[in-house]
Amino acid sequence: GAVVSQHPSRVICKSGTSVKIECRSLDFQATTMFWYRQFPKQSLMLMATSNEGSKATYEQGVEKDKFLINHASLTLSTLTVTSAHPEDSSFYICSARVGGGVRETQYFGPGTRLLVL
Amino acid sequence: AQSVTQPDIHITVSEGASLELRCNYSYGATPYLFWYVQSPGQGLQLLLKYFSGDTLVQGIKGFEAEFKRSQSSFNLRKPSVHWSDAAEYFCAVGFGNEKLTFGTGTRLTIIP
């Protein structure tokens, strides 16, 4: 099946620094990837849709200048949390869309836990 | 707007007992329907999906789900749960190229 990886799996940083999270599709190409944020014991909240070769589409309320998304290739999307603050601490999960039309499915990465001190 | 409801926040089941997790959706048309499972500290794993056709869908790990159009439901079932099934389960709906909408999740606890 389709495999999506994320790196790092866990990161601790100081307030004010920037953190980059990578999302890779290992055995397929993904023109579209998604970035989610999940708070403890809550569901996934879609932050943005990342499209290869074009600008990401952000959901309402998500600051595009704070959460920079780059989808430079068909197998890699990156999320950079700029000037991180403790309230940015969360579990970030990416997914990659496979197939089209009735066969479309999202496959998820294992997630990245960010702790901002 | 589309929505997904998982009425049960937490379910406890004895190992070996049967399981049913509920999912109801609100959508203008029949959407694509998914069930995902999330183990603690992990990403989501796709259990099964429904696009069209047979309303009883078989998935991995012995799970199945039944789409009932009249009830706008897509309940997940397993005849006999194992301790390793303890996890968080998310129902999700989508359509075509639209984003997925997730339910709030149901946490499953298995007791010996």
Side-chain angles (χ1 to χ4, degrees), chain A residues 47-103:
Chain A
M47 299 174 66
T49 301
S50 170
N51 298 297
E52 187 269 336
S54 64
K55 291 183 178 180
T57 303
Y58 290 82
E59 295 299 301
Q60 190 173 8
V62 178
E63 298 176 60
K64 63 179 181 181
D65 295 329
K66 179 163 186 65
F67 298 100
L68 300 179
I69 292 173
N70 188 330
H71 195 154
S73 78
L74 288 172
T75 59
L76 174 64
S77 175
T78 60
L79 168 68
T80 301
V81 183
T82 62
S83 186
H85 290 283
E87 57 265 30
D88 298 324
S89 299
S90 190
F91 194 53
Y92 293 88
I93 306 176
C94 72
S95 71
R97 186 159 65 190
V98 175
V102 296
R103 295 301 161 207

Side-chain angles (χ1 to χ4, degrees), chain B residues 11-80:
Chain B
I11 284 183
T12 300
V13 177
S14 298
E15 190 169 14
S18 64
L19 171 71
E20 182 168 29
L21 302 182
R22 296 184 290 167
C23 174
N24 293 94
Y25 67 90
S26 174
Y27 204 85
T30 299
Y32 303 155
L33 298 156
F34 307 82
W35 274 100
Y36 287 88
V37 60
Q38 183 181 33
S39 297
Q42 301 295 316
L44 275 68
Q45 181 182 24
L46 179 66
L47 285 176
L48 47 78
K49 57 190 176 185
Y50 172 80
F51 290 124
S52 65
D54 193 346
T55 56
L56 185 61
V57 181
Q58 300 298 320
I60 63 172
K61 304 184 179 186
F63 285 93
E64 66 178 25
E66 185 173 12
F67 168 60
K68 292 186 177 180
R69 184 190 308 273
S70 61
Q71 299 177 20
S72 296
S73 69
F74 189 56
N75 294 347
L76 181 71
R77 300 194 295 247
K78 186 169 184 177
S80 177

Side-chain angles (χ1 to χ4, degrees), chain A:
Chain A
V3 179
V4 177
S5 70
Q6 277 184 246
H7 179 79
S9 58
R10 185 184 299 265
V11 57
I12 301 173
C13 69
K14 293 182 179 180
S15 184
T17 61
S18 294
V19 175
K20 179 185 285 188
I21 303 170
E22 294 184 347
C23 177
R24 293 182 184 273
S25 56
L26 297 185
D27 50 0
F28 65 98
Q29 293 183 330
T31 56
T32 303
M33 292 184 174
F34 302 88
W35 286 97
Y36 294 85
R37 184 173 180 176
Q38 185 180 31
F39 292 101
K41 301 186 185 302
Q42 295 189 26
S43 188
L44 280 72
M45 181 191 77
L46 179 65
M47 299 174 66
T49 301
S50 170
N51 298 297
E52 187 269 336
S54 64
K55 291 183 178 180
T57 303
Y58 290 82
E59 295 299 301
Q60 190 173 8
V62 178
E63 298 176 60
K64 63 179 181 181
D65 295 329
K66 179 163 186 65
F67 298 100
L68 300 179
I69 292 173
N70 188 330
H71 195 154
S73 78
L74 288 172
T75 59
L76 174 64
S77 175
T78 60
L79 168 68
T80 301
V81 183
T82 62
S83 186
H85 290 283
E87 57 265 30
D88 298 324
S89 299
S90 190
F91 194 53
Y92 293 88
I93 306 176
C94 72
S95 71
R97 186 159 65 190
V98 175
V102 296
R103 295 301 161 207
E104 179 181 306
T105 301
Q106 284 187 37
Y107 290 91
F108 287 78
T112 296
R113 186 161 302 282
L114 170 64
L115 176 61
V116 184
L117 302 177

